Amino acid sequence: YALWLADGTLADSSFDDEPVSFVVGDGALDKGLELALIGLRAGDRQVLTLMPGQAFGVRDEAALQWVGRDRFPADMQLEKGQIIGFSGEQGAADVAGAVIEIEEDRVKVDFNHPLAGREIVFEVEILSVENPPAEA
């Protein structure tokens, strides 16, 4: 697969790497991207333009949050644009956030997906389709 921004910038690709495999509905792939794959068969290649919100959601201003500086290791050098992993609450999955502003006792972090609210060109080639193993 490859993900391109509307301006032609390559955001991500597996074409020069190992193929990616996933199980439909397991949550590993964004729903918009997953829907674009439904009905495709081995050997199919498709290029789709997904409008803002169809692939990685819309930008959510509530996802911009101030985090106390004391939640970071004291020796951690923080920089704007830095991506940091945060532990989810009560067993939730870890989430990534981008540092967007740094003050003495707090840091503003953007928890939106970096591609949220952007038009995406999604190119995919299906190498194989398999049924999941039967549950015992």
Side-chain angles (χ1 to χ4, degrees):
Y1 75 93
L3 295 173
W4 304 85
L5 303 181
D7 68 3
T9 302
L10 179 64
D12 194 16
S13 176
S14 68
F15 280 117
D16 292 331
D17 205 355
E18 291 294 315
V20 174
S21 79
F22 74 99
V23 176
V24 173
D26 72 356
L29 195 62
D30 183 87
K31 286 183 192 274
L33 298 179
E34 195 171 271
L35 286 172
L37 301 175
I38 301 297
L40 296 180
R41 299 173 187 197
D44 288 349
R45 190 174 185 115
Q46 180 162 267
V47 178
L48 295 170
T49 298
L50 301 170
M51 300 313 292
Q54 284 185 304
F56 296 98
V58 294
R59 287 200 49 80
D60 180 3
E61 291 303 309
L64 304 177
Q65 298 179 12
W66 287 102
V67 177
R69 180 63 177 93
D70 59 349
R71 299 249 339 253
F72 301 88
D75 61 344
M76 180 180 232
Q77 287 292 105
L78 295 173
E79 299 177 11
K80 285 184 181 179
Q82 183 177 11
I83 306 296
I84 299 174
F86 292 84
S87 296
E89 294 181 20
Q90 298 175 351
D94 288 350
V95 294
V99 173
I100 56 173
E101 197 173 327
I102 303 166
E103 293 183 355
E104 189 173 331
D105 24 338
R106 64 185 190 160
V107 178
K108 194 170 198 178
V109 179
D110 183 352
F111 289 101
N112 283 294
H113 188 284
L115 298 177
R118 307 207 47 187
E119 182 177 311
I120 302 294
V121 176
F122 179 45
E123 178 181 4
V124 64
E125 179 179 6
I126 305 299
L127 301 179
S128 69
V129 177
E130 301 170 8
N131 288 324
E135 291 187 33

